[in-house]
Amino acid sequence: MTTSAAFFSLGLLGLVLVPTSCQFDNTPPGPTRETSIHLDRSTIERANVTLDMKAGELNVHGGAAKLVDGTFEFNVPSWEPKIDSSNSGSHAEIRISQPNSGHFGGNHQYVWNLAFSNDVLLDLSVNCGAGQAQMNLGDLDLRHVEVHMGAGQVELDLRGKPTHDYDVEISGGVGQATVHLPEDVGIWAEAHGGLGSITVTGLDKKDNHWENNLFDKAKVNVHLKVEGGIGEIRIIG
């Protein structure tokens, strides 16, 4: 079933970003630099991860040999991402953030490519201000995913074989967000507010939400909630 409804107001895919206060850096772009991140898993079984990118291109997926593997490409030296991590026994806290001087445009280059371990239970919060976010999360062991969007495009691919329930929340934004949902699990989806459009395929409309015929019958159920924005949201079940 395909359903279109009125949607959105200032704000909506991070993934999804609400820009925080920025002090713009007018430094002209120079040669592209690349740095990397490699965090060992050790005894970690669960991680809370926050990704805070004000502008640029964000790519996230599973399959890392370590807890986190990735690279950062940028051509303004002051934009080198800040990495904060700590762990207590089997629980890790990781925050990767763009400095408060980001101003994206022209010949500026800013790309994060990040992979996470499939074997660690993950709470993922993504703030993306402007640009593109491609998040292929279907192979990850998800508990909660939260995406705050700014202006741009977010592609959230959850197709995979989850072994337990998890929740997804998308809010804010001016742009387009596309969510691909996993098959063979129960799906419950809700969307509210705004002026753009929302299109749902593969789910049935039930009162003020959508669901598939496996919801509350399958061993695994995924809850999706989308709030606000001016733009377009597509939910593909």
Side-chain angles (χ1 to χ4, degrees):
M1 177 180 179
T2 300
T3 304
S4 296
F7 200 68
F8 283 82
S9 91
L10 278 177
L12 178 87
L13 316 316
L15 163 75
V16 7
L17 306 196
V18 177
T20 57
S21 59
C22 294
Q23 296 175 347
F24 291 122
D25 183 346
N26 294 320
T27 305
T32 299
R33 291 179 53 200
E34 181 176 298
T35 60
S36 61
I37 177 174
H38 304 286
L39 299 181
D40 288 329
R41 179 185 172 189
S42 185
T43 60
I44 300 302
E45 297 178 359
R46 178 180 168 187
N48 284 28
V49 176
T50 300
L51 306 178
D52 190 358
M53 174 186 274
K54 295 169 179 61
E57 179 183 335
L58 173 65
N59 301 297
V60 180
H61 57 88
K66 297 179 179 290
L67 175 58
V68 186
D69 281 315
T71 59
F72 308 102
E73 300 173 20
F74 51 96
N75 60 2
V76 176
S78 61
W79 292 6
E80 182 170 359
K82 181 181 179 183
I83 301 169
D84 296 297
S85 66
S86 63
N87 63 74
S88 176
S90 61
H91 189 188
E93 296 276 349
I94 302 166
R95 184 181 186 90
I96 304 172
S97 54
Q98 179 178 358
N100 253 358
S101 55
H103 176 65
F104 192 74
N107 295 320
H108 292 113
Q109 182 173 357
Y110 202 62
V111 182
W112 295 5
N113 294 300
L114 299 171
F116 294 89
S117 170
N118 294 352
D119 301 318
V120 173
L121 186 62
L122 200 64
D123 286 80
L124 178 62
S125 177
V126 180
N127 301 300
C128 28
Q132 280 190 315
Q134 175 72 50
M135 294 180 284
N136 299 321
L137 308 183
D139 293 333
L140 294 171
D141 188 11
L142 302 172
R143 194 180 82 99
H144 183 77
V145 178
E146 187 172 339
V147 179
H148 303 282
M149 292 182 57
Q153 182 174 347
V154 173
E155 187 94 10
L156 180 60
D157 194 337
L158 301 171
R159 289 174 291 188
K161 299 186 180 299
T163 58
H164 56 80
D165 297 358
Y166 66 87
D167 300 318
V168 180
E169 297 181 47
I170 300 175
S171 64
V174 180
Q176 182 184 77
T178 301
V179 183
H180 298 272
L181 294 165
E183 298 179 352
D184 302 322
V185 302
I187 300 292
W188 185 97
E190 180 182 2
H192 296 289
L195 299 175
S197 66
I198 178 166
T199 302
V200 179
T201 59
L203 304 176
D204 296 318
K205 188 75 166 68
K206 298 289 183 70
D207 298 323
N208 62 348
H209 71 280
W210 293 263
E211 61 184 61
N212 65 2
N213 57 12
L214 292 177
F215 180 68
D216 260 354
K217 302 181 183 69
K219 292 182 178 180
V220 175
N221 293 281
V222 173
H223 289 75
L224 170 67
K225 185 176 183 180
V226 182
E227 293 278 358
I230 292 179
E232 177 186 2
I233 284 190
R234 295 186 297 160
I235 299 173
I236 303 171

